[in-house]
């Protein structure tokens, strides 16, 4: 169950990171509440995941999911840079996530 919680926590991180610019520095009520809801959900789900997963592994994977997912959102929805070198860096993050998952049972 820890891996499912961790994946859900990472997805919540993507949602709050994507919503953060719309808060305008947390001065806009509804985007701010949306963002805070997903921050809280992400933290809660991360805390559930570390019941069974090592904190270092869970935290690194959580950050990686959030970083790559938010970057993908930026590229797809916000027309951010999608240069080959930038995408290669994201591939390296994904490789790290996969490596941590594979080594988690050892």
């Amino acid at each position: 169950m820890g891996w499912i919680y961790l994946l859900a926590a990472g997805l919540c991180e993507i949602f709050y990171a994507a919503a953060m610019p719309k808060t305008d520095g947390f001065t806009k009520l509804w985007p701010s509440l949306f963002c805070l809801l997903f921050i809280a959900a992400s933290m809660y789900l991360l805390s559930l995941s570390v019941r069974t997963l090592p904190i270092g592994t869970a935290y690194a994977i959580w950050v990686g999911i959030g970083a790559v997912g938010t970057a993908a959102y930026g590229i797809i929805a916000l027309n951010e840079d999608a240069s080959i070198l930038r995408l290669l860096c994201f591939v390296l993050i994904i490789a790290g996530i996969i490596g941590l998952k594979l080594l988690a049972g050892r």
Side-chain angles (χ1 to χ4, degrees), residues 30-51:
W30 294 112
S32 296
L33 290 176
F34 179 88
C35 188
L36 291 170
L37 171 74
F38 278 97
I39 288 172
S42 185
M43 291 291 140
Y44 176 69
L45 290 163
L46 179 62
S47 75
L48 294 178
S49 77
V50 298
R51 288 179 174 171

Side-chain angles (χ1 to χ4, degrees), residues 3 6 9 12 17 20 23 25 38-39 44 51 61 66-67 87 90 101:
W3 291 106
L6 184 56
C12 287
M20 201 169 289
T23 69
F38 278 97
I39 288 172
Y44 176 69
R51 288 179 174 171
I61 291 174
L87 294 175
F90 295 130
K101 167 67 171 110

